[in-house]
Amino acid sequence: DQQVKQNSPSLSVQEGRISILNCDYTNSMFDYFLWYKKYPAEGPTFLISISSIKDKNEDGRFTVFLNKSAKHLSLHIVPSQPGDSAVYFCAAHYQGSQGNLIFGKGTKLSVKP
Amino acid sequence: DAMVIQNPRYQVTQFGKPVTLSCSQTLNHNVMYWYQQKSSQAPKLLFHYYDKDFNNEADTPDNFQSRRPNTSFCFLDIRSPGLGDAAMYLCATSRVGMNTEAFFGQGTRLTVV
């Protein structure tokens, strides 16, 4: 039973436009959410996070939105750049889990010039 | 400078032949994790060390063991690799006690022949 779901395996976006990656979760105990970016043959790299007490966190071109009632979060990338092409993983954990991350399956983003 | 280092990057082992993957960190984080990621799937936590305390996930096969001789190093031992154990193995670290991200190494790609 997947606790973190990324229902879109892939997304293709034109350079300069907005990329929106979605993530749903089922475990209401999750209180911290993260997005990781992964290039082929590399480990995941932390991108941005959000605590459950917030509904938005912004860092440059990257913004994460959290809708607790819907158990949904999204990552917005504006403007998208070809270098953003990678697999994006949504992850979550909760207090008391010792930081164990539960990952989604990832969404492969392709940004076309 | 790499903060979580995994060796080797690529490992080929024979079916049934024990293999050890290594991970070291310069972050002085108290928690170290081992994740297994198969193609197009979510990284899956195998086990983690909180300081010296070993925590095994319930569904981690007995074939997988781990050692953490000191804060900086952690090893993943696969006693009798099967074809189904071919995967990317990711080591990560974090400092538990605050909401913070986990830092990943570049991973070891294991091939079983």
Side-chain angles (χ1 to χ4, degrees):
Chain A
D1 181 35
Q2 274 189 277
Q3 298 184 65
V4 177
K5 300 177 185 178
Q6 293 178 258
N7 291 320
S8 297
S10 63
L11 174 68
S12 183
V13 170
Q14 206 67 35
E15 181 179 5
R17 306 293 292 268
I18 185 171
S19 296
I20 300 176
L21 296 102
N22 293 304
C23 178
D24 298 293
Y25 62 95
T26 58
N27 190 338
S28 57
M29 290 181 64
F30 288 145
D31 59 5
Y32 195 65
F33 304 89
L34 308 90
W35 285 94
Y36 282 84
K37 177 179 178 180
K38 186 179 183 300
Y39 293 116
E42 300 284 338
T45 303
F46 171 73
L47 196 56
I48 193 169
S49 62
I50 188 165
S51 166
S52 60
I53 62 173
K54 296 186 175 182
D55 55 18
K56 177 182 174 182
N57 189 25
E58 192 171 351
D59 183 2
R61 297 186 296 114
F62 302 91
T63 303
V64 56
F65 296 92
L66 175 62
N67 182 333
K68 281 184 65 178
S69 60
K71 293 192 177 70
H72 176 84
L73 62 155
S74 60
L75 174 67
H76 293 213
I77 307 174
V78 182
S80 302
Q81 299 173 353
D84 296 330
S85 298
V87 177
Y88 289 79
F89 288 97
C90 174
H93 71 72
Y94 57 89
Q95 261 195 350
S97 69
Q98 297 184 344
N100 297 350
L101 292 173
I102 308 297
F103 281 89
K105 288 187 176 183
T107 296
K108 184 176 181 180
L109 174 66
S110 299
V111 180
K112 302 190 174 180
Chain B
D1 290 337
M3 296 178 286
V4 181
I5 303 166
Q6 291 187 243
N7 283 304
R9 290 289 308 277
Y10 301 92
Q11 175 74 57
V12 179
T13 191
Q14 289 183 330
F15 182 94
K17 185 175 180 181
V19 64
T20 295
L21 311 182
S22 73
C23 177
S24 63
Q25 57 138 337
T26 59
L27 298 164
N28 203 33
H29 283 168
N30 53 353
V31 189
M32 295 186 77
Y33 311 85
W34 279 104
Y35 287 85
Q36 179 193 62
Q37 188 191 12
K38 296 186 177 180
S39 181
S40 302
Q41 294 189 20
K44 180 181 177 300
L45 183 66
L46 295 173
F47 26 59
H48 75 276
Y49 273 94
Y50 186 113
D51 293 324
K52 294 183 179 181
D53 293 333
F54 177 71
N55 298 270
N56 200 28
E57 292 300 297
D59 56 355
T60 298
D62 292 340
N63 199 23
F64 291 84
Q65 303 288 323
S66 186
R67 297 170 283 134
R68 189 180 185 185
N70 54 52
T71 300
S72 301
F73 285 87
C74 195
F75 300 96
L76 169 62
D77 300 308
I78 309 177
R79 291 191 297 188
S80 181
L83 297 178
D85 296 327
M88 174 75 88
Y89 289 87
L90 297 164
C91 174
T93 73
S94 73
R95 180 179 293 116
V96 175
M98 60 186 74
N99 276 335
T100 185
E101 70 270 24
F103 291 82
F104 283 81
Q106 290 187 299
T108 295
R109 169 70 65 185
L110 179 68
T111 301
V112 182
V113 297

